[in-house]
Amino acid sequence: MSSALSASQIREAFLKFFEERGHRRVASSSLVPQNDPSLLFTNAGMVQFKDVFTGREKREYSRATTSQKCVRAGGKHNDLDNVGYTARHHTFFEMLGNFSFGDYFKPDAIAYGWEFVTKTLGLDKARLAVTVFNGEGGIPWDEEAFELWAKQGVSRDRILKLGLKDNFWAMGDTGPCGPCSEIHYHQGDDIPCAEVTAGRQCKGVACDCDRWLEIWNLVFMQFERKEKDAPLIPLPKPSIDTGAGLERIASVVQGKRSNYDTDLFQSILSRVSELVGKPYSQEGGASMRVVADHSRAAAFLIADGVQPSNEGRGYVLRRIMRRAIRHGSLLGLDELFFFKVVDRVIELMGEAYPELRDGRTFILEVCKHEEESFRRTLNRGMKLIDEEVARMKQSGAKVLSGEKVWELHGTYGFPWDLTEIILKERGFEADIAGYEKLKKEEAEKGTDEGGISKDKAIATVHLKLLERLGPTEFLGYEGVGHEGEGSVRAIINKGGVELTEAQEGDEVELVLDRTPFYGESGGQVGDTGRIVGHGGKAVAQVLDAQRPVQGLIVHQVKVTQGTLKVGDMVQAGVDGQRRSSIRANHSATHLLHKALKMVLGEHVKQAGSVVAPDYLRFDFSHFSPMTPEQQEQVEDLVNGWIRENAESQTRVMNLEDAKKSGAVAMFGEKYGETVRVVTVHPQSTELCGGTHVRRSGDIGLFKVTGESGVASGVRRIIAVTGLGAIQYMRETERELKKAAELLKTSPKDLVKRVESTQKRVKELEHKIEEMAVKAQAGSSKDLLEQARDINGMKVLATRMDPADPNVFRGLADQLRDRMKSGVVVIGGEKDGKVVLLVAATKDVVARGIHAGNLLKEMAKEVNGRGGGKPDLAQGGGEDPSRIPNAFDKFYELVKGTNLS
Ligand code: SER
């Protein structure tokens, strides 16, 4: 099979085949579905065309072909635990597809499919079978498709009729859907089948086993479901959505029985095996397959802007990465390895998906960080399990409760299956059923998947409005863009109910047909201002403007005078000064983005932004804090471009051209067919729907006011521009002046003054200490008179409050000098604590006195600890009331010492 097509060749052959048949080759969309809260990840080729099928969105072509990145993990299609153990399950896969938006229908779709499979790929017709919809749930059986297949030459006994479960396709609970028809490939009856093992017959094409493999799904898009469980509504025009998993096609074409044996995975598996130091084999290779599969998902998800976290998409990514890392550990990989495998994925697929290459540094950093933190978690989890095991041993329990397993999983990110394995090794069990129950409850609460579906209900009323009224025309791009006339098209109250009018005092949402108000999006906050009707008799204050669904601008207003009705002509006026500040901050954000790329590197990608009137906030991928020099460089670049006062340009062009022109597009943004390309300065060109300055000089001044970390690998810059920057500098200057005044100097000499003041303070502190020692020294003579004579040496215990170790030391030195031969303890109290210091002259040390040992015993008397050298020791304790007892002990011990 060495001459078989490689996966890349199959991908290219497919796209070319359909291009030659009038299809537009469209790039894969992001794995993060845009403006679609109903979906966790892009899970099929049609996702990016969802609105085109339903007629909500128009494109300039009616046929398209793609190779789409897909992830099925988490949410509806959750196969994560199977991945690695079967020949077919993947978290990430590529789906080849051809699409018709109201253009051709069943006859062409079927003819194209058959031609590609049998001619281009040259698959043996004798091994092929197809299925059609048998009619169920009130939808008639697909006789047309049946006859069309027969016309292609498929023998009638190879055309099977199957029901809703197999031959009706829907993206999710809502969206376009329709009956489908599949092409299956016969791999061989020697493949194990669970039915046969259980003593029954294999169900052939309809069976779950791999003897017959589905390789292509042709969906005849005919309906739309607008809400969960709602009746099906016919689509404006019947359409086609087909999907063929590249991994499966490759395995069939290359004559392999497992996707993992295709060239798509071989190179990744050999990297894993190289790291492990053992060859890969089909049997016992599950862990290697897990690592190989998951490294693809991680590379692509991170490239599309997902980062491991504890909620939503980030949580699913984290689970995938941690599962891979754990399997790496099982393979004996103790050091960071995952990024090395991911790097192989980038090498392998970077050509077909350039976002992998562009994001390489960042992707690898994210992988390293996640592995480091997970390895710490593993260690912590092991400790917790050890504690639980100890507890169970004591109580005689054999099973760890579901709650504990859940706690380990939920709180510490410790995977349940690992908990189970470790417990087994120690002779215990885990209540996995109990854990599953808790997990289900949490999932129902919506916390496990991060509550992706919550926004759905809120958006419905706006979606309906958008459908009925069409998009709001935004007047803010042209001219000054602060004023405009429009008519009231809808009024909605807080509960989402439509009204015909709003009166003084009402707080409602207003939708106009055209408006100069910018609805919050792309980080830029919504405008505020006034909407006035009836020649000034009706007035509404606009508190905010939102864009709850793409295309619809909604004004949050409070009517302060008169009554506004649906149909009224109104004057809409944006707070101009506020808008100007927003413009400056938005344009500055673009310049900042570019400057960061230049100073820190191309790995810098926008990870979120806020453009407000009084500040801008920019989050971006980067791993270490910026140095003050880097911050200055960025400021200098941006201010340089501002001073050049370049005229900004906005061009409206189609998305492909825009990308070709090198404009920076963000992840997580949905772009229509035509996009706005904003050039604030020749250095910076971005796709952007926001409002911008006319000339870069309008920004005035750019000043960074803060730089910090927000998440692992994400930094945040806060900055101000124009008047805001001047205000910021002025405030800083005012504080500086105040400080200078307090220190009786000028701001220019402030640092010098602070330094000299600090020096002076230190000198004074030192002097005070010296004086205290001297004062004590004066009394050291008297003190010596109190010393006892024991075995020819002077022995003295003396108290001094408040205690100060420095002073004690000074005094001890003097006492030692004066008494020539002896041992002394000084004790005292400070802040409720005991301080003790013992000092001995050299000769008594030579005779057997040991200050450290003496101190140790005395410290016990005051409930404390201490020790030290034979000639000097220091310590303390908790009980000052027992200082006299410590002194008694001292005399007693010295007396009892055997001296030489
Ligand atoms: N949407 C269908 C599928 O995912 C065909 O592309 O199978």
Side-chain angles (χ1 to χ4, degrees), residues 43-46 72 95 99 169 214 217-219 221 241-244:
N43 62 359
M46 51 72 66
R72 289 187 185 172
M95 193 177 264
F99 306 91
W169 200 87
E214 179 212 325
N217 187 11
L218 293 82
V219 184
M221 289 292 188
D241 150 33
T242 84

Side-chain angles (χ1 to χ4, degrees), residues 227-266:
E227 272 160 55
K228 193 174 176 219
D229 300 325
L232 296 174
I233 304 165
L235 285 183
K237 286 183 194 155
S239 296
I240 289 297
D241 150 33
T242 84
L246 176 64
E247 294 74 10
R248 287 174 175 225
I249 298 268
S251 79
V252 167
V253 169
Q254 295 171 12
K256 309 287 186 194
R257 288 201 167 165
S258 162
N259 294 356
Y260 290 95
D261 293 335
T262 65
D263 64 327
L264 277 171
F265 284 93
Q266 277 305 300

